[in-house]
Each structure stands twice: as structure tokens, then as C-alpha cells.
Amino acid sequence: MTLNRPFQANTPAQQSVINSAAYHNGVRVANVPLADLGDAWRHSDRFLWVGLYEPCEQILSHIQQAFGLHDLAIEDARNAHQRPKLEVYDDSLFIVIRTAALGDGGEHRIEFGETHVFLGKRYVITVRHGSLNSHVGLRSRCESTPNLLAKGEGFVLHALMDFIVDQYFPVMDALEAELDELEGQIFSGKFIRSVTERIYHLRRDLLGIKQAVTPLIDVSSRLTRSSSNLIPVDSRPYFQDVHDHVVLIADLIDSLQQLSHTALESNLALISVSQNDDTKRLAAWAAIIAVPTMIAGLYGMNFKYMPETEWVFGYPVTIVVMLATCVALYRWFRKSGWL
Amino acid sequence: MTLNRPFQANTPAQQSVINSAAYHNGVRVANVPLADLGDAWRHSDRFLWVGLYEPCEQILSHIQQAFGLHDLAIEDARNAHQRPKLEVYDDSLFIVIRTAALGDGGEHRIEFGETHVFLGKRYVITVRHGSLNSHVGLRSRCESTPNLLAKGEGFVLHALMDFIVDQYFPVMDALEAELDELEGQIFSGKFIRSVTERIYHLRRDLLGIKQAVTPLIDVSSRLTRSSSNLIPVDSRPYFQDVHDHVVLIADLIDSLQQLSHTALESNLALISVSQNDDTKRLAAWAAIIAVPTMIAGLYGMNFKYMPETEWVFGYPVTIVVMLATCVALYRWFRKSGWL
Amino acid sequence: MTLNRPFQANTPAQQSVINSAAYHNGVRVANVPLADLGDAWRHSDRFLWVGLYEPCEQILSHIQQAFGLHDLAIEDARNAHQRPKLEVYDDSLFIVIRTAALGDGGEHRIEFGETHVFLGKRYVITVRHGSLNSHVGLRSRCESTPNLLAKGEGFVLHALMDFIVDQYFPVMDALEAELDELEGQIFSGKFIRSVTERIYHLRRDLLGIKQAVTPLIDVSSRLTRSSSNLIPVDSRPYFQDVHDHVVLIADLIDSLQQLSHTALESNLALISVSQNDDTKRLAAWAAIIAVPTMIAGLYGMNFKYMPETEWVFGYPVTIVVMLATCVALYRWFRKSGWL
Amino acid sequence: MTLNRPFQANTPAQQSVINSAAYHNGVRVANVPLADLGDAWRHSDRFLWVGLYEPCEQILSHIQQAFGLHDLAIEDARNAHQRPKLEVYDDSLFIVIRTAALGDGGEHRIEFGETHVFLGKRYVITVRHGSLNSHVGLRSRCESTPNLLAKGEGFVLHALMDFIVDQYFPVMDALEAELDELEGQIFSGKFIRSVTERIYHLRRDLLGIKQAVTPLIDVSSRLTRSSSNLIPVDSRPYFQDVHDHVVLIADLIDSLQQLSHTALESNLALISVSQNDDTKRLAAWAAIIAVPTMIAGLYGMNFKYMPETEWVFGYPVTIVVMLATCVALYRWFRKSGWL
Amino acid sequence: MTLNRPFQANTPAQQSVINSAAYHNGVRVANVPLADLGDAWRHSDRFLWVGLYEPCEQILSHIQQAFGLHDLAIEDARNAHQRPKLEVYDDSLFIVIRTAALGDGGEHRIEFGETHVFLGKRYVITVRHGSLNSHVGLRSRCESTPNLLAKGEGFVLHALMDFIVDQYFPVMDALEAELDELEGQIFSGKFIRSVTERIYHLRRDLLGIKQAVTPLIDVSSRLTRSSSNLIPVDSRPYFQDVHDHVVLIADLIDSLQQLSHTALESNLALISVSQNDDTKRLAAWAAIIAVPTMIAGLYGMNFKYMPETEWVFGYPVTIVVMLATCVALYRWFRKSGWL
């Protein structure tokens, strides 16, 4: 189980600095080497957007010095296993969000990741951990709407959160489809062992997503009411929109949790019904076989004076009686629902 | 399952603009083509009521320009799967409500829909999605009380919410009737497989309605305390009334959820009792058959010196003994409740 | 089930106006015909107390005009199925309370009713719906303490609520007695089907009472803190007393809900234990019968050379061996707790 | 069950007035007859402490007149079945606390009682109901620390609450010990019926204590923040201490409730495992007996031409084959865990 | 069970005073004998850090006098079984934290301890109870960063809480690993009795940790907002960090509680499936054996005229028919999933 460690670190071969660019009026005007970030930020009015992936200590230290970030935030960014949160410092915000995406395999495996965002006047730094699936395409989508990008940090943060939260919907769809399929199997009357296991894993996935999403309700709500000058007043409805989506996802998780629990209980009830039916069937067939066996036993007795055994038609009549009782029993069990 | 997609989109053949009319003193005075809405709103003091059904992008854009609506609200109205909410903008309100109605079939299938309302000075725009069952008759009901309609936007919003919320009651009645029927089946002692499945679907329906109704508690409560000039003070008791109804429905959902869970557990307990009874009955009959079989086996032994086999009445006496033990066992099991 | 419709309307033959009287200094001085109520209220300083039972539209309209009551409150009073609530209007209060009383039959059936109270300066109007059992005796009890009745509307409201809330206690006692009885049956080891059904109905009754009582916590608490001049400050400890009783009942409901759930689960566990015991007993007896049957089978074989069959004491020795194994098995099963 | 009536009234023979004394500087200086209480209180600066046990109406009326107590508080004190609460009157406090103590018998039966306290300037009146076990020793303990007693009413109230709350700890210890013992029985593999019944009673006891303790959280917290001049500011840390103990007990109750529920479920699971094991064992032994029975049946057939029956060693070889299959089956079942 | 007594007292042989030192600018400058603490604190500006382990009465009295600590805090420190809490006195804080560490044995036994902290101007006194595992290394870690230590009491408190909270993570990891292993066993299809017992103990451990951690959420949150001058404003983000960790642990506990409950239910469901499968298998094999037994019985009958018994090939044909029916039954059961 990986509740505590939602993802495996990737191989060190992967590149740490994904992107580091300066924007002017919402348009990318230059790539800025890491070493020049501090100067670029202090000596120009360009907006800087740096994207890192599981950076090493040195890179983080460099970034910290360049933008004057708080020790604790940098320590958090180094360590990937944070609870989603919003930390407000004097002149910057630090946001932790968990991402979720469907894995490439066909088994609806969910890949979790984590994105840490440093947001300050004229800069956004994103530090990504874990699965990259959920990040692909964000920057290009933002760059395609330069007018929004030009509105500043607050809107970039909104775009980022909106992008990440929207990616929970296909995950929820997949979990709903999984429950649909399980429902079908449960009520089809076949009690395959795997149904229980799949419900268990579904519930584990729901708990994982819940842990990722629930704290976002508070984060997005605080951004909506934020008095920080990094979050302009006219961006509030946008964060409210993110908030609404997060609450909708939380509602869905809650419903799926309750339904999956009912499914587990229904499964148990139906297994019992099935067992009951099988026991009845077993009893009925046992009776159908036991009666002729008993009759055969009777005529197997070695009494000297058993008139029936002397009769010419004793044997065939006995066979017919046996068959008749079997048929009668069969019909009777059939009628009373045991067969 | 369709928790996330509470309804299927209807065919595009259906008309998008259901109605677009101007009212004066609560009486419909003219139909206003879509193209003239902006002028009609700005240059007259008539009240406009536009009803749309799953409108296309162009119609929404037109409406947005005509009344100056917020981007985010329009984006929400385009996308049908919203959580019920109340969004307060500077000069308008945006309300999302989920509707529920019983389907036409006899199976108590619930059809969900969604109504989005834009409310501003002298206009109401409703955008409906999904099942239309729950909307039929609203406008004519409102037009039949022109004095209330003349009181302005706030009262139209109340009429609309009251109408939609009232339609939850027959749905709740149907779910109660369903639980009544299931109760009867559970306690009648027949453990048909379908009972469990129907309880499961009942619980799924309850979750769907809960998701639709719970957010309305907050929405109606905020309208009761609203300081917006769109909601006049003397309309507050009316929204309080809607609030009371919503809370009553939420209470009912809660009770039905708890009762249906108890029903599921009772079902399981009774299945176990039944299985216990059947096992006992099986055991009793097995014993009744096993005893004469064993006696018959005894006299089937080939010992040379078995005095009983030589007796003239050995055979009939044995048969009588067998019958007697069977009858004795039968009575004993009957007395001890195993048969 | 009647969660939504807690009672059946009574026959129209029953009288609508139960009482309509004027009081002076807490003493009944005159009966006032319905037609004169408005004048009597406006032109004298007498206190009016009108008691209605499921009144028709005309009577309600008349009352509304006489005392100038709010449209919505009158609409609520017409419709019996309200959630308990307190509505504060400018110069009057409207209170809805659900009543509960044990039915006359011996089956602890609970009869629910509803009392609506309009309270204003110098008048109290009560509108009762459903079972009258829970109302009998209120007015005569009030009239027997004229000094309290003379203190005005607030004290009459307190007397009324106190009276209604006190009637929940015998209902709770009956439900506790029912659970006691069920407990006895569950732990006595007989798993009669009816126990499960009775627990189910107990839980349904508890939910019904909970729906009636829970909203009263808020109603009584708001009356304790009320700033309305209809509720004098020195009556607050009295409403606090009602509040304490309501909370005590809610506590009891909660405990009974939890205990009844544990009882349901205990029942299930004990059924399983019982089934286990029966299975073991069945297995033991099957073994005791199977062993001599097998031995008998051995000596039923038709081998030419079976020395034992030739012995004079072969048969009695075999019988003794069979009996000995049966006794040995019986003892062994007895010792290991299977019998 | 006695949730509603936590204890039986004692016989009237028991003395009503337990103690009635005046204190000066924390030292008992005189016993004061009931009749002189009013004068003693008004005309001296001595502190009065009166202890009553299930007093009759007259005594209560006398006390009420002597100290000018509120009607409602006196009515509550007469009636023993109150929810723990703190009532603040103008110049006095009225506190209801439930007491719990282990009964003298060895069965961990909990005896509940109730203590009502009237606290005013220079007087404390305690009215006890139910079991006296939980009161013995309080006064002598207080009198042994005259410096604290001299500090006034607030400290006496603290001593009293501290004393009563401390007595819950041995009760909790006994319940924990009971769960420990049940745990041992559940996991020892014997499914005795009484385990379920004892878990049920444990849970009932926990609910009883929870009802007694939960309201004390609020009572003690309000005393900590009280602005009444009866509760001096420097006594607040002491009431905070009581509050901490109450919360600790509530935590323990919560844990025991959850653990006992898990124990009930574990019990059910283990019963099922046990049943499964027994069914397998039964099946295995049935097979071991059925196979030689079938072989014996074969050679019991009366065919004229059955070569084996003519052989000299037919019989012993058959016996050996039978034994060999039995042993082989036994080993196979043993290996596969069915035996 | 030891919910109430989370640990056993250690032997008195262990040393009570672990350390008692004075610090200047974050560097340890002297060891201070207990007797000199009061003077050293009053007459110098050095920072004092005293570490005690289950101290006796005398030592605690001495410490109380030296630093002027509150009676109640000292009484709490004497008694090890406190709920985690933060007590604010005029010039000092008293904090109770529960510690948890994995025992040395391989069985993931959790050892609980308790640390009480007195924090005042220029002094920190820690009183440890129970397992020392969770304390080892704290002081040396603090002394290795003199710059932080020099910042004063607030930072020492942070270091201490951070250290203790961090030690919960390996405990949580061990519990997660335990659940992982149980999961594997549950879904592997073997229903060993110990799984249920281990889930039970896992849940008990989770409750123990929950009791220790949940109150810390409030404690750390209050420290973050504290207005005490002992907690400097620039240390708030550090306490916020501790708070985040505590909430993360609480989240994990919640998830593990829910998952372990689902595991218990899944276990029960799979046991039922397994029982169902075994019952079917038993029935199938019983049928396969019963049919040839019945046929053999038939030809064991002693009728004079049974043509088959006279046939030369009667016997081998019968054997072949028996085998054929057995094989046919076997295939049929195989196909229908009973075998």
C-alpha cells in the first residue's frame, strides 16, 4: 500500500529543469538559464516561469537564493510527501497540490504526483514530483492564451490549479466505470473472488484521491477570500470556480465510497442467498438419491421369509417404485423452490 | 452508473429557445426575438423572461452580450454537470439547481435535469438541461398569478425554486413506496435475489437526490439572508419556506438511507435464519432416512448364524421397527423445532 | 411506511372548532364565537385562546383576517406535513411541533400528530392535526393554574410545549421496554424470525421520533434566546427547561439507535454461532450413524472366504463392536463440544 | 434496560439529611438544624454546607425558602432523572452531575447516581439520588484540607466535581478489563454464546457512561470561562483540570466503543472461519467413511459371476484396499488443510 | 489492553535526572546540579535545559520551587496518564505530548511514552515517562545546531515537537506495511484465523495513536496562533510545519482505519465465498460417491428373479456404468464450477 508514499521516485536520468522562461505581455520572450534567474527577476519587469522536476539540493538552493524563498518551503519542496496546503509568507505563497492521472496500462491504475508552486511578484516556480502524466500540456495551454497569462501570477496559479483539478474528472469517471462493472458482476449472480478484491482496491483508490482532494477545498476557499496582493480581486470568481469543482469531486468521492460499501454488503448478502440456494439444492439431491438407496438396502436384507423377493416381478416393480419416488421428490422440490 | 453524468443529452432536434417574452405588470405583453433582447432590456422597463433548452454556443454568446453576463457563469451554463450553487456577481445572480422527476415508465426510474438561472434587474434567463419533465407547467403557473409575477425578479426566482423543490416530493414518495414494498418482501420470508439489488438501486437513487438537494440547503439559506437588492426583504419568508422544504427533503433522505441500510442488514440476518432452518431440516430428514438404511444394512450382513433372519416374522417386524423409529424421530424433530 | 405522512387525516365528521374562549386574569370569562374573534381581540384587553382541529379553508381565512396573520403561516397550517419550526414574524410567532402518543392498542404503535401555534399579543391559536391523544387535557391543566395563565402568551406557549414534550417520555419508555424484550429474546438463544422484524420497526419508530424531536432542539434554544417581546425575559428559564427535556429525549433516541443496531449485529452473530453448533451436531450424528452402516456393509460383501461370517458369535460380536464404536464416538463428540 | 431510569429509588427508611454544618475558615464549627439554616445564612458570615439524600417535598420547600432558590431548580432536584447541566441564575448556580461507581458484586455492574448542587454566596447544597457508593468520603476529604475549603464556594464545587469525575476512572478500568477478557475469549477460538452477550452489555454500559460524561464536557468548559463571581478567576485552572479529565474519559469511551465494535465484527468473522473449518472437517470425514462403504457395496452385489468373490484372498485384499484408501484420503485432507 | 495505561512504569533503578545544563548562545557551557537550578536561573542570563525521567516527588517539588511552577502542572507531571494538551499560565507554558516508537522486537509492537514540557523565560524542563526509545538523540540533535538553540525557548519547543512528531512516521509506515501484508493474506484465499486477530490489533494500535495525535492538532494550531511572548512571531511557520505533519498523520490514521475496516469486511465476504465453494465441492463429491453406492445397493437386493445378476458380463458392465456416471458427474460439476 502506498498511502504514505503515493508514488515512486523516477530515475535520476530524467531532466531536472523542464523549462525556465521569461514572459512579456503574456508572450514568451526568452529562455533564462538557471544561473541568471536572480538578476533577470530583480532587474527587469518580465514575468518568470520556472518548471522543475524532482530537483536536486543544489538547484533548490540556487532558486531559494535567487527569489529569497523561505527555508521551510524549500525543505517541503525537497520532500515530496506533503499534504496539499497553502502557506502564506510575507511576499510569496507556497502551494502544494496532489495530481492524479490514469496510468497508461488498461487496469485503471492511478498515478499520483505532487506539484509544489512558489508564487511571488513576477515569478512562478513549479516543482513536480512523481507521475508527469498529469502535467503534460499545461504550459502550452497557458501560452495559447497570452491575454490571460499577461494578467499576472494569480491567473497563472488559477490556470495551474484548474488544469490539475480538471484531470481528476477522467480518474473519477474511470472509478465510476469500475463500480458499474462490479455492480454488473455482483448482481449477475456469479460470486467470483475477484469482485471483493476489486471493491477493496476501488475503496483504497477513493481514499487516496480523498486525501489529495479534501485539503484542496480549504486551499481553494482561502484563495477565494485571500487578501494577498498576489491574488487580484477580479480573479476570485476563478478560484471560486476551482473550489466548486473540488467540492463536486469530493461529493463524487463520498457517493462512490457509500455506494461501494453498499456494494460490498450486497455482495455478502447475495453470497449468503446463493449459499442458501446451494444448500437446498444439495439437500434435495441427497434426498433423491437416499430414498432408492434405502429401499435397495431393504431388499438386500437376508431374511429367509421375504415374500417380495420370491415374486417374479418383485425386481422390476421395486425399480419402478424407486423411479417413481425419485420423480415425485424431484417435482416436490422443484415446486417448493429447492431445485 | 451516472452519478457524474446525471442525465443523457437530448437529441439536437429539440428546440433550443423555448420561450422569450416581455412582461408588463405581470402580464405577458410580447414575444421578443432573441436578436432584440439586448435592446428590449436596455430601452424599456419591461421584465424579460427567456427560457432556453440546452442552447448552442452562439445562443449563449448572444445572451451574454445582450445582458452583460460573466464569462464563468456562461461557461457553467454551457456545461450541464454542475453542483447546485448560488454565485453572486455585481449586478446579477447565477443559480444552478438540479431537478428530479419520475420517469414515464412504471419502474420509478428518476430522471435528473439541471436548471441554470441568470437573474438580474428586469430579466430572468433559465437554461435547462436534461429531462424536461420537471419543467413543464412552470411558466403557465407563474402567468396565472400576475400579481406575484409583477413583484419582480426575486419572486420569479422563488416561484421557480418552489416549483422545482415541490417536484422532489412525489419522487420521495415513490422511493418510500419502494422501500415499503421491499420491507414487505424481506419480512415475508422469501429471499429473492432481486431484493438486494433493489435496495442497492434505492440507495443509489437516494445518493443521487442527496447530491442534488444538500447544496440547496445552503443556497436557500443564503437567499434568505441575502443583501442583494435583487432579493427584496419581503421575499425572505418565501425563500425561508423553500429552505424548510429542502431541509424536510434532506431529513427524509437521511431517514430512508438509514432505514434502507437497516433493511439490508435485516435481510442478511433473515437469510441466515432461513439457512439455519434449512440446515436443521436437512439434518432431520437425513437422520430419518439414515436410521432405517443402517438397520437394513445390519440384516444385509452375511453371517451364517443370525437368528433373526431365520424367524418367520423377522422381516415384517424389522419393517415395523424401521417405521416406528422414523415416526419417533419425526416427532422428536418436530417437537424440537427442527422440522 | 409513513415517514412523509406521519398520520392519517381524520374523518370530516369531527368538529373543527374545539374551543374558543376569552380569559381575564387567567380565568375563562366567556366563549367567543368565531365570527366575533376579530372584534373581541381588537376592542378588549382579554386574552383569547382558540383551539382548532384540522380546520377547513374558510375557518382559516376567517382566523387570518381576524388576527392579520401571514399568508405563508396560514398556508403551512392548512398543510399538515411540516417540519417542526419556529417562524418569527413582525408581531407574531408561528410554531410547528410534532406530537407523539402511544396508540390505544397493545402493540406500542405510535400515533403522530402535529400542532401549529400562532402566538401574538393577547391571543394563542392552536391548529391540531392527526392523533388527538396527545392533546387531551392541556387546556384544563392550564386553566387549573390561573396565575400562570395570567402571565400571558409566553407562558401559555411554554405550557403547551412542556405538555407536548412530556408526552414523549412514555413513548420512549415503551420503546425501551420493547428493546428490553427483544434483548431477552436474542440472548435466550431462540432465533425467531420476528426479532429481526421488530428491531427493524423499532428503528423505524426511532427515526420517526428523531425527525420530530431534533428540530425542537433548535426551536427551544431560539425561544430561550428570543428577543421577541412575546417571550418575556423571566420565561427564559422555562424554555430552557423544555430545551433540556428535548435534548434528553434526543440523547435517549441516540442511545436506543446505537443499542438496537448492536442488537441487530448480536442477533446475526448468535445466529451464526447457532448455525455452527447445529452443523457440528449434524456432523456428529452423521458420523455415529455412518460407522455401523459401513461395518454392516463390510459383512454384507459376498466373498466366499470371509472367516468371521462362519463364526458362531460373529453376528453378536459385530453388533457389540458397532454399539461400542457408537458409544465411543458419542462420548468423544460430547467431550469436544460437538454434541 | 434503564437508560432512562439510571437507578432505583432507595427505601424511604434511609435518612434524608445527611449533614448540615457551618464552616468558618474552612473548619467545621457547628451543625445547623434544618430549621435554622435561613437565619444562619443571613445573619452570619459562616459558610454552610448541607447534604441531602433523596429529600421529600417538605425539606426541599424549606431549603428553597431558606436560600431563595428558583422554582425550576427545586423541581429538577425533586426529579432525579436529569441530563448533566449547569444552570446559571442571578445569584446562584445549579449543577446536575451523574455519578458512576462499580457495584459491590463481582460482575462489574455499574451503579449510577445523580448529584444536584445548589451553589450560592456562602452556601453549597448537595442533593444526592441513587447509589451512595460514589459519594462516600467526599466531605471528609474536603475537611482534611481546610485551607482549600476556606477559599469558598468555587473551590468546594471543584472538589466535588473532581471527586465525582475521578470515580469514573476505576469504572473505565473495569470496562477495559472486561474487553481484554472478551478479546482473549474471542481469539482463543471458542465461540461461546456469552461473548456476544457480554459485548452487548459492555456497549450498553459505555452508552450509559457516555450519556453521563458527554454533557460534562460543556459544563466544565463553561465553568472554566464563567464570569460568575461565584467562580473566582484563580479557580479556573482547576476547572480546566476537571475538563481535561472529562475529555480523557470521553476519549476512552470512544476508543472502547470502536474497539468493542471491531471485537463484535471479529467475533463474527472468526465464527465464520470456524464454521468453514468444521464444514471442511465434516466433509473430509464423510469422504473417508463413504469410500469403503461404496467398495463394500460393490462386493455386496449378487452377481453370479464376480471373480473376486471366489478368490481366497478376496476379502483380506479388499479390506487392505479399503484401509489404504482411507489412509490416503486422510493424508491428502491433512495436507490440504481440511483436517 | 492498555488504552488507559499506555505504558508500564520502568524500574526505579533508572536514573531520574538525565541532564541538567546551562546554555549560552546555543552552546552548552555548564552542567548545573539540581540544587543550584533556582539560583542559576534567577541570577544569570543563561538558558537552562533540564531533562528528567519519571522523577520522584522530591525532585518535582524542588523544580517547582526553583522555577515557581503551578501546582496543577506539577501534579500532572507526576501522573503520567495525561491527554496531550497545552496549558497556558501567566509566565509559562505546560505541554503534554505522547510519544510513540517501534519496539525492538520484530512484531511491530508500539511503545508509547509521554513527554511533559515546562517552558518559561530562559528554561525548558522536560519530564519523560514510559519508553525512552522515542527520546534518544533529541538533545544532541539540538546541540548540533547552536544557532537555532540560541534563538530561545520557542525554538527548543519546536525542535522537541518536531522530533517527537517525526517519530510517528516510521510507526505509521510499520502499520501500513502490516496492512499490506494482511491484504496479501486476505486476497490469497487462505483464511487463517490470525488475519482477523491481526486486523483487530492493527485497529487497536491505530486507536492508540489516534488518541495521542488528534489532540496535537489543536495544540500545534494554538501554538501557531499563540500570543505568548514565549513563542516568537517568527517561529510560527515552524509550528505550522509541525501542525501540517500532525494533520498528515491524522489523515493517514483515518485512511488506515477505513481501509482496515474494509479489509475486515472483505475478509468476511471472502470467507463466505470460500465456504460456499467448499460446500459445493463437498456436495459434488458426495454425489459422485452416492450414485455408484446406490447402483451397488440395487444389485445387492436379494430378489430371486434379477436377470442382470445371471449375466456373465453383468458385473463388469455394472462397474463400467458406475465409472461412466462418476466421470460424467465429475465433468458436469467441473463445467458448472462446483469442482
Side-chain angles (χ1 to χ4, degrees), chain B residues 158 162 169 172-173 175-177 179-180 183 187-191 234 237-241 244-245 247-248 251-256 258-270 272-277 279-280 282-284 286-287 290-291 293-295 297-308 332 338, chain C residues 1-5 70-72 75-76 79 81-83 85 87 89 98 191-194 196-201 203-204 207-208 210-211 215 257 261 264-265 267-268 271-272 274-276 278-279 281-282 285 288-289 292-293 295-297 299-303 306 308-316 318-319 322 326:
Chain B
H158 164 260
D162 193 42
F169 286 105
M172 294 310 296
D173 283 348
L175 293 179
E176 278 194 46
L179 183 54
D180 267 350
E183 238 178 63
F187 295 118
S188 72
K190 289 180 191 159
F191 303 108
D234 61 341
Y238 293 88
F239 285 107
Q240 179 65 43
D241 197 61
D244 290 345
H245 288 179
V247 173
L248 185 60
D251 269 13
L252 275 171
I253 293 168
D254 193 53
S255 288
L256 286 176
Q258 291 193 46
L259 265 184
S260 62
H261 190 248
T262 305
L264 197 58
E265 290 187 319
S266 298
N267 195 24
L268 188 56
L270 286 176
S272 288
V273 172
S274 174
Q275 190 163 3
N276 213 11
D277 288 353
T279 301
K280 281 175 176 171
L282 158 61
V291 166
T293 303
M294 184 189 66
I295 295 174
L298 284 183
Y299 292 105
M301 294 193 295
N302 295 319
F303 287 102
K304 232 174 200 154
Y305 308 99
M306 283 177 77
E308 298 98 317
W332 187 69
W338 284 48
Chain C
M1 202 177 49
T2 54
L3 281 175
N4 197 19
R5 282 164 257 106
H70 196 283
D71 277 5
L72 278 168
E75 200 184 304
D76 281 349
N79 176 356
H81 309 296
Q82 303 292 326
R83 197 172 183 263
K85 64 175 172 180
E87 218 70 76
Y89 295 104
R98 288 217 186 135
F191 302 107
I192 31 180
R193 224 165 262 278
S194 64
T196 307
E197 188 165 2
R198 281 169 68 187
I199 296 178
Y200 181 86
H201 284 111
R203 289 176 69 79
R204 208 175 67 180
L207 279 172
K210 194 177 190 176
Q211 278 200 331
Q257 281 187 321
H261 191 248
L264 197 58
E265 290 186 318
N267 195 24
L268 189 56
I271 291 168
S272 288
S274 174
Q275 191 163 3
N276 213 12
D278 290 344
T279 302
R281 212 171 300 148
L282 158 62
W285 282 114
I288 288 174
I289 291 178
T293 303
I295 294 173
Y299 292 106
M301 294 194 294
N302 295 319
F303 287 101
M306 284 177 77
E308 297 97 317
T309 57
E310 311 291 325
W311 298 348
V312 176
F313 295 106
Y315 176 56
T318 304
I319 295 291
M322 282 174 177
C326 286

Side-chain angles (χ1 to χ4, degrees), chain C residues 255-271:
Chain C
S255 288
L256 285 176
Q257 281 187 321
Q258 290 193 47
L259 266 184
S260 62
H261 191 248
T262 304
L264 197 58
E265 290 186 318
S266 298
N267 195 24
L268 189 56
L270 286 176
I271 291 168

Side-chain angles (χ1 to χ4, degrees), chain B residues 41-116:
Chain B
W41 178 55
R42 266 183 293 274
H43 304 308
S44 88
D45 60 348
R46 290 172 171 179
F47 175 80
L48 297 175
W49 185 353
V50 182
L52 304 177
Y53 181 73
E54 294 183 359
C56 59
E57 297 262 332
Q58 295 99 304
I59 294 179
L60 278 176
S61 302
H62 183 82
I63 293 282
Q64 180 178 20
Q65 286 171 349
F67 296 98
L69 304 173
H70 196 284
D71 277 4
L72 279 168
I74 286 292
E75 200 183 304
D76 281 348
R78 191 176 295 139
N79 176 356
H81 309 296
Q82 304 292 326
R83 196 172 183 264
K85 64 175 173 178
L86 164 65
E87 218 69 77
V88 180
Y89 295 105
D90 288 344
D91 50 0
S92 68
L93 302 177
F94 177 62
I95 297 121
V96 175
I97 312 176
R98 288 218 186 135
T99 63
L102 288 176
D104 297 323
E107 304 170 28
H108 301 317
R109 281 294 96 206
I110 300 171
E111 291 179 7
F112 287 97
E114 217 170 288
T115 298
H116 300 190

Side-chain angles (χ1 to χ4, degrees), chain B residues 4-20:
Chain B
N4 197 16
R5 283 165 257 105
F7 46 82
Q8 297 301 317
N10 284 270
T11 58
Q14 289 183 275
Q15 208 181 344
S16 273
V17 181
I18 291 174
N19 227 314
S20 173

Side-chain angles (χ1 to χ4, degrees), chain C residues 3-224:
Chain C
L3 281 175
N4 197 19
R5 282 164 257 106
F7 47 81
Q8 296 300 317
N10 284 270
T11 58
Q14 287 183 277
Q15 208 181 343
S16 274
V17 183
I18 291 174
N19 228 315
S20 172
Y23 291 80
H24 190 69
N25 285 332
V27 178
R28 189 197 290 221
V29 291
N31 285 335
V32 184
L34 226 58
D36 303 345
L37 277 173
D39 285 343
W41 177 54
R42 265 183 293 273
H43 304 307
S44 88
D45 59 349
R46 290 172 171 180
F47 174 80
L48 297 174
W49 185 353
V50 184
L52 304 177
Y53 181 72
E54 296 185 357
C56 58
E57 298 261 330
Q58 294 99 303
I59 293 178
L60 277 177
S61 300
H62 183 82
I63 293 282
Q64 180 177 19
Q65 285 171 350
F67 296 98
L69 304 173
H70 196 283
D71 277 5
L72 278 168
I74 286 292
E75 200 184 304
D76 281 349
R78 190 176 296 137
N79 176 356
H81 309 296
Q82 303 292 326
R83 197 172 183 263
K85 64 175 172 180
L86 164 64
E87 218 70 76
V88 180
Y89 295 104
D90 288 343
D91 50 1
S92 67
L93 301 177
F94 176 63
I95 297 120
V96 175
I97 312 177
R98 288 217 186 135
T99 64
L102 288 176
D104 297 324
E107 304 171 28
H108 300 317
R109 280 297 94 208
I110 300 170
E111 291 180 7
F112 287 98
E114 216 170 288
T115 298
H116 300 189
V117 185
F118 294 90
L119 187 83
K121 214 64 214 163
R122 277 182 298 111
Y123 69 87
V124 168
I125 301 153
T126 59
V127 181
R128 301 166 188 180
H129 294 267
S131 166
L132 275 174
N133 273 7
S134 46
H135 300 93
V136 172
L138 169 60
R139 189 180 287 253
S140 57
R141 199 173 77 160
C142 280
E143 292 181 349
S144 71
T145 54
N147 57 327
L148 278 175
L149 199 51
K151 281 190 169 177
E153 317 82 35
F155 279 87
V156 173
L157 179 61
H158 164 260
L160 205 140
M161 289 183 72
D162 194 40
F163 188 84
I164 288 173
V165 168
D166 275 357
Q167 284 179 313
Y168 277 98
F169 286 104
V171 175
M172 293 311 295
D173 284 347
L175 294 179
E176 277 194 47
E178 170 78 359
L179 183 55
D180 267 350
E181 207 184 311
L182 286 171
E183 238 176 63
Q185 293 200 352
I186 288 168
F187 296 119
S188 72
K190 290 180 192 159
F191 302 107
I192 31 180
R193 224 165 262 278
S194 64
V195 167
T196 307
E197 188 165 2
R198 281 169 68 187
I199 296 178
Y200 181 86
H201 284 111
L202 176 64
R203 289 176 69 79
R204 208 175 67 180
D205 286 346
L206 285 169
L207 279 172
I209 296 179
K210 194 177 190 176
Q211 278 200 331
V213 167
T214 308
L216 282 185
I217 296 176
D218 180 56
V219 168
S220 58
S221 160
R222 280 168 61 205
L223 285 169
T224 307

